[in-house]
């Protein structure tokens, strides 16, 4: 995801987290990539690993990471994804079996390298390959795939993060009229509009419709395109 830093040199930053390595291992690392300079149409990047303390998100893939902004501060938000089952539960036949991560919400402070997990009662099941949209202090979670139930529920969650001087406040609201989708591509077309393309609605059935997601006065509207 993109990250707006406070300094002029940090205006264009990107956060990379998790994923699978070429050896089919899962990564729990977080990297901050920044544009160093642009000379003669050549762009140079710098990539640094960020060490975390606290409730560090386990290695995963199929998750989402976004940045929220509240009261002049920013925070990364990690949610969902899949991870290998714990080593104590592994057997030869299921050595590389994966399971949905617990539905915890992680707030990551990129400045101080602190991570804190939150348990929200509205989020009951682990989800992977969902769509996430970050707007100011709010993240919207749409769709996703539940491995345990093998379903793609028509989820629509609104997670709001308040960053006062003390501890952050995180709350979740279940909204109606979500969509059933996993592994889709999200593109922002203007300030208040996004487009969802592709993905799956069933295990072997691709989605042949697109969706426009528009915002007006903090209200979200999803319609087919």
């Amino acid at each position: 995801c993109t990250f707006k830093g406070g300094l002029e040199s940090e205006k264009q930053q990107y956060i990379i987290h998790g994923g699978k390595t070429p050896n089919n291992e899962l990564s729990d690392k977080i990297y901050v990539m920044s544009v160093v300079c642009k000379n003669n149409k050549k762009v140079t990047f710098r990539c640094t690993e960020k060490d975390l303390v606290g409730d560090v998100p386990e290695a995963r893939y199929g998750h989402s990471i976004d940045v929220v902004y509240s009261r002049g501060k920013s925070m990364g938000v990690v949610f969902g994804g899949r991870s290998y089952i714990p080593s104590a539960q592994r057997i030869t036949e299921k050595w590389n079996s994966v399971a949905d991560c617990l539905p915890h919400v992680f707030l990551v402070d990129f400045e101080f390298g602190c991570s804190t997990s939150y348990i929200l009662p509205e989020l009951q099941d682990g989800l992977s390959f969902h769509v996430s949209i970050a707007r100011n202090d709010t993240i919207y979670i749409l769709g996703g795939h539940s491995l345990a139930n093998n379903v793609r529920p028509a989820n629509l969650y609104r997670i709001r993060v308040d960053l006062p001087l003390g501890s952050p406040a995180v709350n979740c609201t279940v909204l109606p009229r979500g969509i059933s989708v996993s592994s889709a591509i999200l593109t922002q077309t203007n300030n208040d509009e996004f487009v969802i393309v592709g993905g799956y609605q069933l295990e072997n059935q691709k989605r042949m419709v697109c969706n426009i997601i528009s915002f007006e006065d903090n209200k979200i509207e999803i319609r087919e395109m």
Side-chain angles (χ1 to χ4, degrees), residues 6 48 61 69 75 100 115 170 179 210:
T48 56
Y61 71 104
Y69 301 89
M75 196 75 72
D100 289 322
S115 178
V170 185
I179 56 175
C210 301

Side-chain angles (χ1 to χ4, degrees), residues 60 64 77-81 100-107 116-128 130-132 139-144 146 149 153-161 170-175:
R60 62 188 64 203
S64 61
V77 182
V78 176
F79 174 73
D100 289 322
C101 297
L102 294 174
H104 296 173
V105 174
F106 293 87
L107 294 193
T116 308
S117 70
Y118 293 80
I119 300 174
L120 306 177
E122 294 81 7
L123 300 171
Q124 291 291 321
D125 299 311
L127 288 173
S128 308
H130 50 278
V131 173
S132 66
I139 289 177
Y140 296 85
I141 303 291
L142 291 89
S146 171
N149 305 317
N155 293 321
L156 179 51
Y157 299 107
R158 181 178 63 210
I159 300 174
R160 185 162 283 146
V161 180
V170 185
N171 66 74
C172 179
T173 305
V174 181
L175 300 179

Side-chain angles (χ1 to χ4, degrees), residues 47 51 64-65 78 90 146 200 219:
C47 189
D51 293 324
S64 61
I65 179 166
V78 176
R90 294 186 184 185
S146 171
Y200 288 84
K219 290 183 179 178

Side-chain angles (χ1 to χ4, degrees), residues 4-160:
K4 292 179 289 195
L7 302 176
E8 182 69 25
S9 61
E10 297 176 344
K11 273 194 171 178
Q12 295 187 71
Q13 289 186 303
Y14 307 89
I15 309 298
I16 303 170
H17 175 253
K20 280 193 174 186
T21 70
N23 296 327
N24 212 29
E25 297 171 342
L26 300 184
S27 172
D28 63 353
K29 298 185 182 301
I30 285 189
Y31 299 96
V32 179
M33 182 180 288
S34 55
V35 177
V36 179
C37 62
K38 291 182 178 180
N39 291 326
N40 300 324
K41 298 182 179 179
K42 182 179 180 181
V43 179
T44 305
F45 290 97
R46 177 189 293 121
C47 189
T48 56
E49 183 179 340
K50 194 74 178 178
D51 293 324
L52 296 182
V53 296
D55 305 324
V56 180
E58 64 182 313
R60 62 188 64 203
Y61 71 104
H63 56 293
S64 61
I65 179 166
D66 299 277
V67 178
V68 291
Y69 301 89
S70 168
R71 303 175 189 255
K73 294 187 284 185
S74 63
M75 196 75 72
V77 182
V78 176
F79 174 73
R82 288 179 187 161
S83 183
Y84 287 127
I85 60 174
S87 56
Q89 300 175 18
R90 294 186 184 185
I91 58 176
T92 304
E93 292 79 8
K94 296 185 176 180
W95 187 254
N96 287 333
S97 292
V98 295
D100 289 322
C101 297
L102 294 174
H104 296 173
V105 174
F106 293 87
L107 294 193
V108 181
D109 187 322
F110 297 121
E111 182 180 359
F112 298 104
C114 303
S115 178
T116 308
S117 70
Y118 293 80
I119 300 174
L120 306 177
E122 294 81 7
L123 300 171
Q124 291 291 321
D125 299 311
L127 288 173
S128 308
F129 303 107
H130 50 278
V131 173
S132 66
I133 299 174
R135 296 188 84 244
N136 302 321
D137 63 353
T138 303
I139 289 177
Y140 296 85
I141 303 291
L142 291 89
H145 179 232
S146 171
L147 191 61
N149 305 317
N150 193 26
V151 294
R152 289 167 175 79
N155 293 321
L156 179 51
Y157 299 107
R158 181 178 63 210
I159 300 174
R160 185 162 283 146

